Amino acid sequence: MCVLVLFLSGYNAGEGHGSLTQQGADSWKLPAPPGWRGIWASLWASARRMTTHETMPQTSAVFSGFLGPSCSGQVQPGMGERGGGASGGSGDLIFQDGRLISGSLEALMEHLVPTVDYYPDRTYIFTFLLSSRVFMPPHDLLARVGQICLEQRQQLEAGPEKAKLKSFSAKIVQLLKEWTEAFPYDFQDEKAMAELKAITHRVTQCDEENGTVKKAIAQMTQSLLLSLAARSQLQELREKLRPPAVDKGPVLKAKPPATQKDILGVCCDPLVLAQQLTHIELDRVSSIHPEDLMQIISHMDSLDNRRCRGDLTKTYSLEAYDNWFNCLSMLVATEVCRVVKKKHRTRMLEFFIDVARECFNIGNFNSMMAIISGMNLSPVARLKKTWSKVKTAKFDVLEHHMDPSSNFCNYRTALQGATQRSQMANSSREKIVIPVFNLFVKDIYFLHKIHTNHLPNGHINFKKFWEISRQIHEFMTWTQVECPFEKDKKIQSYLLTAPIYSEEALFIASFESEGPENHMEKDSWKNLRTTLLNRA
């Protein structure tokens, strides 16, 4: 059973191009892109329809190999082992074939903290720090880590291994360094920063001779502050993503000025435009961090428990990226609907079909889906006379790739192929993988929702969090690819700042280009005219 639904504005895969979604008396209203809060709502509505018998979305094989050879959570030679056996458990940790699969929260926290003879696997550090925020705020975890460190330090001071204090301190600093590098935003909280200072103060008390640990702490702190400052500045720069939508106003026959540029006047090469879209995608997706994606889980759990555990202010980068998708869809619809002559509209549609195809070839599935979504919005889809002149074979192929049946099986096959190409790539061009973000978000959420956090024995189902971590880690790898295409500021400026029509303006332009053809469309056009004239 397909448990994922693509909540994309106007995307009606069952009808395809040349169709008009029937919405009764309000059918002129465009089902506007939902925005991030709309995605929360749609996730929540879908979750309530799920039962324990529903299957997982068909992402990469769930739990197959856990995180794979490079991200497996398996105890590595020379890393030491802290609790647990090959197929059993001690200290409230359960291992299976050398892999940690469950444990109590307390035991998992203790497993995170190094000892004189043990340092946790880096994949475990990432996975536990990422997943722990589902159960407790980062500053609380940091406080508990500090407490465990203090207890171990006191034992070393009182025992025969006092000489190993420096080695222990160095390992603690290394753990903190990995934490601050992977999740710097955890330390924006004053409580977390206070706990960090308290822990570093304790471990430096045994490093008075050569100061190596103090030096490492100073470097870590400086890097952390720079990361926090850079992220804050980036968020401020992106507060205004795009000017408000342009409405054509109450004068129904108004047409855009003849001198106003369209996308073909800025770039007429589909490949070049696809490359510039890829630039924008990579630039925006690079601002998403692992903890942002875990906010999906934290926030939906807060709805489930009717208490706020997710900090919605930390979903800014997710919302901004989702807004970019919506803006691109609306821009495509605007570029098509505002063209006066049918011949030119046909050329515009064929151009965007070619752009979407080039995006697919590059591996930029998010832009491809946004373009398809824009062409499937009702004001564009209803232009039957225009579509009749379009060579739709290419468009049919694109829609086939994004067919939602069998849980977007065709898309997932294409994504898997792009992933394999990326893993074997010798150039940045072949490394590009930009998944459909809304689908990726839903996969993560439903993976969380269908598999329980706790097992019947009270243990945390860490097997589940290995898989969530693996998918997020893979996504983060894609976001770090450097775009190999030359940046064209003129084209990017147009894509990011060109005015886009409002819902009403799109329908006005559409009906002006091709008048209503049936009773439903005539009623819609009449309702739209009445609404705008009353407003005037």
Side-chain angles (χ1 to χ4, degrees):
M1 176 179 180
C2 176
V3 298
L4 279 182
V5 180
L6 187 60
F7 298 96
L8 295 177
S9 168
Y11 183 72
N12 192 335
E15 296 181 13
H17 57 77
S19 63
L20 174 64
T21 304
Q22 302 295 334
Q23 301 176 35
D26 292 327
S27 63
W28 63 266
K29 293 183 179 179
L30 179 67
W36 195 248
R37 289 174 178 78
I39 292 178
W40 291 134
S42 62
L43 284 174
W44 177 240
S46 298
R48 295 185 65 178
R49 293 194 296 270
M50 290 193 303
T51 68
T52 56
H53 300 291
E54 288 181 314
T55 58
M56 267 299 300
Q58 298 171 4
T59 55
S60 53
V62 178
F63 306 141
S64 175
F66 294 88
L67 300 187
S70 64
C71 206
S72 65
Q74 192 164 5
V75 176
Q76 302 296 320
M79 300 297 290
E81 189 172 345
R82 186 172 186 164
S87 59
S90 62
D92 271 346
L93 291 179
I94 303 297
F95 289 79
Q96 187 177 70
D97 298 327
R99 296 183 177 94
L100 176 59
I101 61 171
S102 73
S104 66
L105 180 58
E106 181 66 24
L108 291 170
M109 285 190 289
E110 291 181 356
H111 195 62
L112 176 71
V113 181
T115 66
V116 171
D117 302 314
Y118 161 82
Y119 190 82
D121 178 33
R122 293 192 67 184
T123 58
Y124 175 76
I125 294 174
F126 178 83
T127 300
F128 180 70
L129 292 178
L130 182 66
S131 59
S132 64
R133 63 200 68 238
V134 174
F135 306 99
M136 62 195 304
H139 62 81
D140 284 349
L141 173 61
L142 195 59
R144 180 61 186 128
V145 168
Q147 183 181 357
I148 297 173
C149 289
L150 179 60
E151 292 170 355
Q152 291 196 35
R153 185 173 181 277
Q154 289 173 341
Q155 292 176 4
L156 288 172
E157 288 178 331
E161 297 183 309
K162 187 175 181 179
K164 296 184 178 181
L165 271 172
K166 290 183 180 179
S167 174
F168 171 69
S169 296
K171 289 182 177 180
I172 296 301
V173 173
Q174 177 62 26
L175 174 66
L176 295 175
K177 180 175 181 289
E178 292 193 39
W179 190 340
T180 56
E181 288 176 348
F183 306 100
Y185 208 64
D186 286 355
F187 298 87
Q188 190 179 43
D189 186 284
E190 292 183 3
K191 294 180 181 178
M193 190 61 78
E195 292 293 345
L196 179 64
K197 291 179 180 179
I199 296 174
T200 55
H201 176 71
R202 292 168 189 165
V203 300
T204 53
Q205 292 179 4
C206 64
D207 190 43
E208 297 177 355
E209 293 183 6
N210 56 30
T212 54
V213 172
K214 287 184 178 180
K215 183 178 179 180
I217 290 173
Q219 293 174 343
M220 174 191 71
T221 303
Q222 183 180 16
S223 296
L224 173 60
L225 294 176
L226 289 173
S227 295
L228 290 174
R231 186 167 182 178
S232 177
Q233 291 172 2
L234 182 61
Q235 181 166 325
E236 291 176 2
L237 288 173
R238 290 179 173 169
E239 284 294 340
K240 296 181 179 179
L241 294 178
R242 174 181 288 275
V246 174
D247 200 320
K248 293 177 72 175
V251 182
L252 301 185
K253 291 298 181 181
K255 291 289 185 181
T259 56
Q260 183 175 335
K261 286 184 179 180
D262 62 18
I263 187 64
L264 289 173
V266 178
C267 177
C268 60
D269 187 333
L271 175 59
V272 172
L273 188 62
Q275 292 174 344
Q276 296 310 305
L277 287 171
T278 303
H279 252 299
I280 295 172
E281 291 278 356
L282 289 173
D283 179 58
R284 272 154 176 68
V285 79
S286 66
S287 66
I288 295 175
H289 300 268
E291 62 269 29
D292 299 328
L293 296 168
M294 287 301 289
Q295 283 294 115
I296 300 164
I297 292 174
S298 299
H299 177 62
M300 296 310 296
D301 278 350
S302 73
L303 292 179
D304 217 352
N305 299 326
R306 295 299 187 270
R307 59 193 180 94
C308 186
R309 280 163 52 186
D311 182 359
L312 290 183
T313 62
K314 294 182 181 179
T315 65
Y316 170 83
S317 58
L318 303 180
E319 186 172 355
Y321 190 48
D322 183 64
N323 285 342
W324 153 248
F325 180 99
N326 296 334
C327 286
L328 180 54
S329 295
M330 296 292 281
L331 177 63
V332 169
T334 299
E335 292 290 326
V336 173
C337 287
R338 73 187 184 93
V339 176
V340 177
K341 295 183 179 181
K342 181 173 63 177
K343 179 180 179 180
H344 293 162
R345 283 197 305 276
T346 300
R347 183 188 175 199
M348 187 68 74
L349 281 170
E350 292 180 338
F351 174 72
F352 277 119
I353 290 171
D354 288 338
V355 173
R357 186 179 63 168
E358 294 295 349
C359 286
F360 176 84
N361 292 336
I362 290 172
N364 181 358
F365 300 106
N366 201 56
S367 288
M368 172 190 171
M369 179 60 92
I371 293 170
I372 294 175
S373 177
M375 289 190 288
N376 272 288
L377 291 176
S378 295
V380 180
R382 65 165 298 277
L383 299 173
K384 295 180 181 179
K385 294 178 182 178
T386 303
W387 278 104
S388 68
K389 301 296 182 180
V390 174
K391 298 176 182 178
T392 58
K394 296 176 183 178
F395 189 70
D396 292 340
V397 171
L398 294 175
E399 286 203 310
H400 172 75
H401 285 305
M402 293 301 169
D403 182 359
S405 62
S406 300
N407 193 20
F408 291 88
C409 180
N410 296 339
Y411 158 69
R412 295 184 188 283
T413 300
L415 179 64
Q416 184 179 17
T419 301
Q420 292 173 349
R421 180 187 67 184
S422 177
Q423 292 170 347
M424 298 182 293
N426 296 317
S427 66
S428 297
R429 167 65 180 81
E430 296 174 328
K431 290 181 180 179
I432 297 173
V433 181
I434 306 174
V436 178
F437 188 60
N438 285 352
L439 275 179
F440 175 79
V441 165
K442 291 177 179 66
D443 283 355
I444 293 296
Y445 171 68
F446 284 114
L447 177 62
H448 162 67
K449 197 64 182 178
I450 291 176
H451 297 281
T452 180
N453 285 346
H454 292 90
L455 301 175
N457 64 357
H459 277 195
I460 289 175
N461 182 12
F462 210 68
K463 197 175 184 181
K464 159 187 170 176
F465 290 104
W466 280 127
E467 176 60 18
I468 292 177
S469 173
R470 186 195 65 77
Q471 293 195 26
I472 291 179
H473 182 272
E474 184 175 49
F475 179 83
M476 299 312 299
T477 300
W478 295 333
T479 68
Q480 294 165 11
V481 172
E482 183 177 352
C483 190
F485 309 123
E486 184 177 354
K487 190 172 184 178
D488 189 311
K489 294 182 179 179
K490 182 180 178 181
I491 298 175
Q492 290 201 19
S493 176
Y494 185 89
L495 290 169
L496 296 172
T497 64
I500 56 177
Y501 281 1
S502 67
E503 305 171 6
E504 296 170 351
L506 283 175
F507 272 99
I508 292 172
S510 179
F511 281 123
E512 287 179 350
S513 296
E514 295 186 19
E517 295 186 348
N518 54 51
H519 178 70
M520 292 292 292
E521 288 194 352
K522 289 178 181 179
D523 286 345
S524 300
W525 182 221
K526 180 180 178 181
N527 291 334
L528 176 58
R529 289 168 62 93
T530 301
T531 298
L532 294 180
L533 290 173
N534 288 340
R535 185 184 303 165

